[in-house]
Each structure stands twice: as structure tokens, then as C-alpha cells.
Amino acid sequence: MYFIPHPKRIEHFPGFCHAERGFCVESLDASTQSLAQAMLTQLDKTGIPIRLEHKTVHVPTSLAHHDLLAREAYRLTIEADAVVIDADHPTSVRNAFATLQQLARQAEGLLPLTLIEDYPSIPYRGVMLDVSRGKIPNRTKMEEVIRLLASYKYNVLQLYMEDCYVLESHPVLSRSNGYYTKHEVQYLDAYCKNYGIELQPNFQCLSHAHGLLRNPGYHTLAESEVSLFSFAAGKPEIYGLFSDIFQEVLPWFSSKTLNLDLDEAYDLGTGYSRQAVQERGGREVFKEHILKISAIARNAGAERLQLWGDCLNKYPNLQAELDDDIVFIDWNYNPLKHFPSLENHDAKAHPFWLAPGTSSWNALFPRTQQANANIRNYIHQGFDQQVQGVLITHWGDYGHHQPISFSYHGFVRGAEHSYNGTAISEESLDTAMDVLFFADANQSKAYALLSSINTLPAVTTAFKTQIFYAFFDDLFKGLSLIGNDAYPAISKETFASVENLAREALDQLGQSRSGSVFQQELLQAARCLAFTGRKGRLSHTIKKTFLENAVDEDQILAWILDLKELYRTFLSLRNEFVRLWNHEAVEIGSEGAVYAFDKAASRYAEAVIWLNSQRLALHQGLPLDTRMETYTAHEGYTTLWTGNCTNLWDRAYPWR
């Protein structure tokens, strides 16, 4: 039997419990019955009875945060004629049900007699979902996410919000993106509660504020009126705005924890706050902003505050100058063996959390190897330093093209590491994933094949996957073909490997028995990758043949046909992208992601027009442009991370 997270103690005994008809929960109180109905798939009045006994389960006192951990401890005993759960808190009962469900899935009605004693090693285990970069998950998708998190014993979910809330006091805000209403947040809050999860608000309170600042009447609140990216720290009017936001939106959540973010304050001191920074220093100006925002949040009902910890790299030991209710969240998404930023924290003086990432963003398929190493190593080092919480992040940079489900793999692996703290072998976790996460062996093999693409030469650069850029890139002089100091060019050989691996994945997916939406999303990713490999190979072939001056009219006409076929496939992929988007998210907000497709569509016509100019040159006896010097359609073409933050159209950032 396999479990994620793996329980602390498992003991098997001879014999079985015949639970072919499922479980009976009639002896449980109403709230526990409701929880059982949420967590267990097979319930029947004639099934094996589940009995709840409110007995304490021992948790070693040597563990940091012992009292918080003890609230989630449980004992699950599979007897011949009953299932007995010892637990004295709703979340510990939820954890027991999650383990029982995983056991029942594998046992197919014949449960081995078993004693399981279990408790987490890190008290707060959560996921942060970016809902501010265009994709607003609909209710069905959010319910799916919440059920998934509960089944792997998470207890926190944060919604990262830059501007996606509707305010009665500021109705113009959120017009440019999708949004959640008071009614919808309250529904999700109640749904989370039913699954033992705390839905925590997360509001960006300094940078990444372009969704708010690019509205009429609000641009004057910006640090820089060129980029309209960050709030002007110290400007009185912004604190009035945040008072309105907090007073109106915080009551939508039952949680008293609020993440203020305040990360990546790169332009602090470059505009409105320049004089203050010059006179008092950036540390003091930043600290004053934190204190003012924190006071406003507390006045609106927040009792526990969080903010991202990257500022501690610039302002060491800032924790000592702030209030005790502020917890820093260290974040890092790199696949490091050691994380120096964790040295900014002393858990005995100030509790802290850490935030790894699923590396699903800026990619056609997640950078799985990067995410696995980041999540595993980061959490293990944090556990050694007595970290209080883990927040696995799912970001949606540059339009949130990737499906939410492409972070599920990272969520599940993160559940194992954040629950147990210490290392489990990668082989054991992979085997458990095959049993509990993937639909079948074919889907698992396809996932591994698609993941391996991101390890090819020049494909992955930091938090970006070059193949994603190549999908939208210019056909003859695109960044993915010519490269620069930051982004190396992708070779023809690498493009060929991308196509071959994607086609192998398509073959495996074709043999899978799964009919899930996740399967459809995997198919879409594999087709996009196969397309990108084919496109890149063709681009290299055309460029090389011209450079060798080995072009004739038939070859040009054949290439034009190839490009038209590519364009037809590209449109098909665009349409499937829109269909899958609408399945998991509201339509508003998709325009930023779809625009990348529509903008890239012009590349095919430009390539054909230029090729035809060379065909005509052959007819006229003129020399070919072997170096493509007359091809200028690439000039001014940008997409994704080469977009222009200041043009108020591109979904980009002040950096590239």
C-alpha cells in the first residue's frame, strides 16, 4: 500500500476487513458525517461502520511547534468489523479520512487489518494560487483544487490577488481583468472549511500593482507614472485606498491571516519616494510602509500578517523592527541544494514560512525536475531550521497560459515533503505518485517524456522555458533562433528532440485509458511541443538552405505549403487552448493569453510574403538574399517576457 503523505507509523496484522460495500458513518455526529461524505467516495448504510473516539495521539515533544502538530494527530485502526479513528480535532479527523480513502482506493474493498498512527511535522501546509494574471478559476475548478488539497492533508489555501475583487467603494477597479465577488469568495471559504482548509486572503500591497494603478484616477498613486507598476510608498492617499479595500474585502474571509506580499520592491526610491529614500534610506521608508499597511489591516480585522521575505536580503534582520504578529515567507524557486536566504531567519526569535514553486509558469509544460528539487531540498532545509509553514506557489506570469492542473504534480510532491519534513526517497515517492496521482502507467510515462523536454540544451533558462517562447516566436529572426546573452539560441537538433519526445508522449497518451480533462490538457501540451519542434526545425532548414545559396523555386513553394500547414495547426491549437481555458476559468481575463496567439499568427504570413519575394527574385535573375537582410518583419515583434511593461497593453514587467 502507498500513501501520500506517508504516515509516521504503519503496522499490519493478519486478516482483512471486508468493506466491499464501503463505509457506514451513521454513528458519527452531523458535522463529521458531512466531512466523511466530502472525503470518502463509497458510503453505504450497510457498509463497515466508522467509529470516532476522541482519544489523544502522542506527538513527540521534541518536535518544534508541538502543540500545533498535536491538533492534527490521529490513529486509524482497521479492524475486522469496524474502522476506528482516534482524533480530537476536526482537522485530525479529516487527515484520518484522507488516509482511509487512499487505502480503500488500493484495497478494492478488502482492507488489510492495519494500525496507523500519524501526525504532521510542519504545522501549516498550504498552496498559493495566483488568480491575478488573467486566469480566474471558476467554481468547478476551485472545488477540484480544494478537494485535491484536502486529500493530501493540506490545511491552507491562499488566493493571490492584485486587483481581482469587486469593490462597491471603487467600482472602476477590476474592469481590466476577471474578478471574484463577495458571494463567490464566501462560497469558497465555506467549501474550504468543509474540507479542513483555511482560505487566507493575499493582497498585493506595494509592487505588481499595475492592475489597480492603470485605471483613471488611480495612476497618481504610482511610484513611477511611466511604468505604473508599484504604489508610491509613503503617499497618504494609498493608505486610504487600502483601508477601503481591507474594510470591504477582508470580511469575505473567515480567516484572520492576511498575506500583504510587499515583494520585489525594485522601484522603491525611483519616483515619488526618491527624496524620502535619499534622506532616510530605503530600509526606513520600506519599514514605515509596512507599519502603516499593517495597522490598516489590523484595524480591518486581520490578526496575523505575512509578507514575502526577499526584502530581508536587502534589509537584514528587519523582523526585529516590526511587530510580533508579522511572519515572513522566504521564497525561492531554484533547484538548489542549499538555500542561503533561509539564513535570514531564526525560528526561535521569529516564526517563518517558506514558499517553493511548482515551476509550471512560463512554460508549455512544467519544469518538473526543477520543481521537484526545489520543493524537496527547500522544505528539508527549512524543517531543519524549524520552519512553521510551507506555501507551495502556483504563478501565472505573462498571461497564465498553463492549466491549473499542471501544478498538481508539484502540489502532491509538496504534500509529502511539507507533511513529513524529512527525506523520502525519490524512487518511493515516484512509485506512490504512479499509484495515487496518475491514471495509469501510460499517462505517467507521457508525463515523464514531456518533463524531459525541459532538460534539453538551451530549453530552460531560470524560471522560463525557451520552447514556450519559441511557440510564439518569429520564424526567421526570433529570439529562440538567434539568442542573446540572457537567452541562448535553440539548435535544430534540440528542436528535433523536442518533437520526437512530444510524439512519444502523444503515443503513450493515446494508449492511456483516461478520459479526464487533465488528460486533454496533457494532449494539448504534447501537441504544442511537437508543433514547436517541427516549427523550429523548419526555420533552421530554411535559414541554412538560404545561407548555402541552395534554393530553387520548387523548394520555396514547398516551404510555403509547409508554413500554411503549420499555420493551420497553430490555429487548431489556439482554439483548443481557448476551449480548455473556458473549462477551468471565467472568460474575462483570457484576452491577454489569447492575444499572444493572435499576435504570433502574423508571423506565418510575413514569412510567406518574404519567401515569395525571393521566388520573384529568382524569376528576375536577381541574387537571393542569402542572409535574410531584407527580412525585417521581426523588428518590433515582442511577446511574453520581451513585452513592454510601459505600453499599457502587454502583460509584462519592468524587467525582461
Side-chain angles (χ1 to χ4, degrees), residues 619-638:
H619 269 288
Q620 297 168 17
L622 299 174
L624 286 173
D625 179 6
T626 58
R627 295 185 177 276
M628 296 188 169
E629 292 175 350
T630 57
Y631 180 82
T632 58
H634 68 292
E635 295 176 359
Y637 177 76
T638 59

mmCIF file of all heavy atoms in Angstrom, residues 619-638:
data_model
loop_
_atom_site.group_PDB
_atom_site.id
_atom_site.type_symbol
_atom_site.label_atom_id
_atom_site.label_comp_id
_atom_site.label_asym_id
_atom_site.label_seq_id
_atom_site.Cartn_x
_atom_site.Cartn_y
_atom_site.Cartn_z
ATOM 1 N N HIS A 619 13.076 34.595 -60.488
ATOM 2 C CA HIS A 619 12.498 34.786 -61.816
ATOM 3 C C HIS A 619 13.159 35.943 -62.555
ATOM 4 O O HIS A 619 13.316 35.909 -63.778
ATOM 5 C CB HIS A 619 10.990 35.049 -61.701
ATOM 6 C CG HIS A 619 10.165 33.810 -61.765
ATOM 7 N ND1 HIS A 619 9.967 33.086 -62.912
ATOM 8 C CD2 HIS A 619 9.493 33.144 -60.789
ATOM 9 C CE1 HIS A 619 9.203 32.040 -62.665
ATOM 10 N NE2 HIS A 619 8.903 32.048 -61.372
ATOM 11 N N GLN A 620 13.516 36.960 -61.810
ATOM 12 C CA GLN A 620 14.084 38.163 -62.426
ATOM 13 C C GLN A 620 15.596 38.087 -62.566
ATOM 14 O O GLN A 620 16.233 39.044 -63.014
ATOM 15 C CB GLN A 620 13.700 39.385 -61.588
ATOM 16 C CG GLN A 620 12.194 39.628 -61.528
ATOM 17 C CD GLN A 620 11.805 40.643 -60.466
ATOM 18 O OE1 GLN A 620 12.646 41.398 -59.980
ATOM 19 N NE2 GLN A 620 10.521 40.661 -60.103
ATOM 20 N N GLY A 621 16.158 36.958 -62.169
ATOM 21 C CA GLY A 621 17.605 36.792 -62.277
ATOM 22 C C GLY A 621 18.384 37.606 -61.272
ATOM 23 O O GLY A 621 19.580 37.864 -61.461
ATOM 24 N N LEU A 622 17.723 38.015 -60.196
ATOM 25 C CA LEU A 622 18.386 38.796 -59.148
ATOM 26 C C LEU A 622 18.991 37.860 -58.108
ATOM 27 O O LEU A 622 18.525 36.727 -57.923
ATOM 28 C CB LEU A 622 17.383 39.739 -58.483
ATOM 29 C CG LEU A 622 16.724 40.771 -59.406
ATOM 30 C CD1 LEU A 622 15.647 41.545 -58.649
ATOM 31 C CD2 LEU A 622 17.777 41.726 -59.973
ATOM 32 N N PRO A 623 20.015 38.315 -57.403
ATOM 33 C CA PRO A 623 20.626 37.455 -56.382
ATOM 34 C C PRO A 623 19.682 37.240 -55.199
ATOM 35 O O PRO A 623 18.898 38.124 -54.841
ATOM 36 C CB PRO A 623 21.877 38.229 -55.965
ATOM 37 C CG PRO A 623 21.574 39.654 -56.295
ATOM 38 C CD PRO A 623 20.727 39.613 -57.531
ATOM 39 N N LEU A 624 19.760 36.058 -54.615
ATOM 40 C CA LEU A 624 18.987 35.769 -53.408
ATOM 41 C C LEU A 624 19.566 36.527 -52.217
ATOM 42 O O LEU A 624 20.772 36.778 -52.153
ATOM 43 C CB LEU A 624 19.019 34.270 -53.098
ATOM 44 C CG LEU A 624 18.188 33.347 -53.985
ATOM 45 C CD1 LEU A 624 18.485 31.896 -53.639
ATOM 46 C CD2 LEU A 624 16.702 33.635 -53.808
ATOM 47 N N ASP A 625 18.708 36.844 -51.285
ATOM 48 C CA ASP A 625 19.145 37.449 -50.023
ATOM 49 C C ASP A 625 19.492 36.305 -49.074
ATOM 50 O O ASP A 625 18.698 35.899 -48.233
ATOM 51 C CB ASP A 625 18.027 38.322 -49.450
ATOM 52 C CG ASP A 625 18.409 38.956 -48.121
ATOM 53 O OD1 ASP A 625 19.569 38.806 -47.701
ATOM 54 O OD2 ASP A 625 17.525 39.575 -47.494
ATOM 55 N N THR A 626 20.682 35.770 -49.234
ATOM 56 C CA THR A 626 21.049 34.553 -48.500
ATOM 57 C C THR A 626 21.137 34.775 -46.997
ATOM 58 O O THR A 626 20.993 33.832 -46.219
ATOM 59 C CB THR A 626 22.393 34.007 -49.014
ATOM 60 O OG1 THR A 626 23.395 35.018 -48.852
ATOM 61 C CG2 THR A 626 22.281 33.608 -50.482
ATOM 62 N N ARG A 627 21.391 36.001 -46.572
ATOM 63 C CA ARG A 627 21.483 36.290 -45.137
ATOM 64 C C ARG A 627 20.190 36.881 -44.571
ATOM 65 O O ARG A 627 20.156 37.336 -43.436
ATOM 66 C CB ARG A 627 22.654 37.237 -44.872
ATOM 67 C CG ARG A 627 24.004 36.629 -45.201
ATOM 68 C CD ARG A 627 25.144 37.546 -44.808
ATOM 69 N NE ARG A 627 26.429 36.936 -45.061
ATOM 70 C CZ ARG A 627 27.035 36.094 -44.224
ATOM 71 N NH1 ARG A 627 26.463 35.785 -43.078
ATOM 72 N NH2 ARG A 627 28.203 35.557 -44.531
ATOM 73 N N MET A 628 19.156 36.895 -45.397
ATOM 74 C CA MET A 628 17.841 37.386 -44.968
ATOM 75 C C MET A 628 17.896 38.826 -44.455
ATOM 76 O O MET A 628 17.156 39.207 -43.544
ATOM 77 C CB MET A 628 17.240 36.469 -43.893
ATOM 78 C CG MET A 628 16.948 35.064 -44.368
ATOM 79 S SD MET A 628 16.035 34.102 -43.119
ATOM 80 C CE MET A 628 15.561 32.661 -44.083
ATOM 81 N N GLU A 629 18.751 39.642 -45.044
ATOM 82 C CA GLU A 629 18.884 41.021 -44.582
ATOM 83 C C GLU A 629 17.643 41.851 -44.889
ATOM 84 O O GLU A 629 17.360 42.839 -44.201
ATOM 85 C CB GLU A 629 20.127 41.652 -45.210
ATOM 86 C CG GLU A 629 21.430 41.029 -44.699
ATOM 87 C CD GLU A 629 22.655 41.578 -45.409
ATOM 88 O OE1 GLU A 629 22.469 42.294 -46.423
ATOM 89 O OE2 GLU A 629 23.777 41.287 -44.961
ATOM 90 N N THR A 630 16.903 41.476 -45.935
ATOM 91 C CA THR A 630 15.699 42.233 -46.289
ATOM 92 C C THR A 630 14.472 41.773 -45.496
ATOM 93 O O THR A 630 13.395 42.361 -45.624
ATOM 94 C CB THR A 630 15.398 42.089 -47.793
ATOM 95 O OG1 THR A 630 15.259 40.693 -48.115
ATOM 96 C CG2 THR A 630 16.508 42.706 -48.625
ATOM 97 N N TYR A 631 14.641 40.732 -44.712
ATOM 98 C CA TYR A 631 13.533 40.297 -43.852
ATOM 99 C C TYR A 631 13.554 41.152 -42.591
ATOM 100 O O TYR A 631 14.484 41.065 -41.777
ATOM 101 C CB TYR A 631 13.657 38.819 -43.486
ATOM 102 C CG TYR A 631 12.518 38.339 -42.598
ATOM 103 C CD1 TYR A 631 11.294 37.985 -43.150
ATOM 104 C CD2 TYR A 631 12.663 38.268 -41.213
ATOM 105 C CE1 TYR A 631 10.239 37.565 -42.353
ATOM 106 C CE2 TYR A 631 11.616 37.850 -40.404
ATOM 107 C CZ TYR A 631 10.407 37.500 -40.976
ATOM 108 O OH TYR A 631 9.364 37.095 -40.186
ATOM 109 N N THR A 632 12.546 41.992 -42.414
ATOM 110 C CA THR A 632 12.519 42.927 -41.281
ATOM 111 C C THR A 632 11.247 42.794 -40.441
ATOM 112 O O THR A 632 11.002 43.612 -39.555
ATOM 113 C CB THR A 632 12.631 44.374 -41.785
ATOM 114 O OG1 THR A 632 11.537 44.643 -42.690
ATOM 115 C CG2 THR A 632 13.958 44.605 -42.497
ATOM 116 N N ALA A 633 10.453 41.765 -40.716
ATOM 117 C CA ALA A 633 9.173 41.630 -40.012
ATOM 118 C C ALA A 633 9.358 41.379 -38.517
ATOM 119 O O ALA A 633 8.439 41.601 -37.724
ATOM 120 C CB ALA A 633 8.363 40.492 -40.627
ATOM 121 N N HIS A 634 10.549 40.928 -38.135
ATOM 122 C CA HIS A 634 10.800 40.648 -36.719
ATOM 123 C C HIS A 634 10.987 41.924 -35.907
ATOM 124 O O HIS A 634 10.870 41.902 -34.676
ATOM 125 C CB HIS A 634 12.060 39.800 -36.581
ATOM 126 C CG HIS A 634 13.305 40.534 -36.963
ATOM 127 N ND1 HIS A 634 13.574 40.909 -38.264
ATOM 128 C CD2 HIS A 634 14.347 41.002 -36.213
ATOM 129 C CE1 HIS A 634 14.727 41.557 -38.306
ATOM 130 N NE2 HIS A 634 15.219 41.624 -37.073
ATOM 131 N N GLU A 635 11.302 43.019 -36.589
ATOM 132 C CA GLU A 635 11.597 44.257 -35.874
ATOM 133 C C GLU A 635 10.346 44.762 -35.152
ATOM 134 O O GLU A 635 9.292 44.931 -35.754
ATOM 135 C CB GLU A 635 12.115 45.314 -36.849
ATOM 136 C CG GLU A 635 13.454 44.940 -37.474
ATOM 137 C CD GLU A 635 13.919 45.951 -38.506
ATOM 138 O OE1 GLU A 635 13.177 46.939 -38.740
ATOM 139 O OE2 GLU A 635 15.004 45.750 -39.088
ATOM 140 N N GLY A 636 10.480 44.977 -33.876
ATOM 141 C CA GLY A 636 9.354 45.438 -33.074
ATOM 142 C C GLY A 636 8.438 44.335 -32.586
ATOM 143 O O GLY A 636 7.511 44.600 -31.811
ATOM 144 N N TYR A 637 8.689 43.095 -33.034
ATOM 145 C CA TYR A 637 7.843 41.993 -32.574
ATOM 146 C C TYR A 637 8.342 41.505 -31.217
ATOM 147 O O TYR A 637 9.496 41.113 -31.065
ATOM 148 C CB TYR A 637 7.851 40.833 -33.570
ATOM 149 C CG TYR A 637 7.049 39.636 -33.084
ATOM 150 C CD1 TYR A 637 5.661 39.657 -33.116
ATOM 151 C CD2 TYR A 637 7.681 38.510 -32.558
ATOM 152 C CE1 TYR A 637 4.918 38.583 -32.649
ATOM 153 C CE2 TYR A 637 6.952 37.429 -32.097
ATOM 154 C CZ TYR A 637 5.567 37.471 -32.143
ATOM 155 O OH TYR A 637 4.837 36.411 -31.675
ATOM 156 N N THR A 638 7.481 41.557 -30.233
ATOM 157 C CA THR A 638 7.806 41.060 -28.896
ATOM 158 C C THR A 638 6.656 40.195 -28.408
ATOM 159 O O THR A 638 5.514 40.318 -28.869
ATOM 160 C CB THR A 638 8.014 42.208 -27.896
ATOM 161 O OG1 THR A 638 6.809 42.997 -27.835
ATOM 162 C CG2 THR A 638 9.183 43.092 -28.310
#
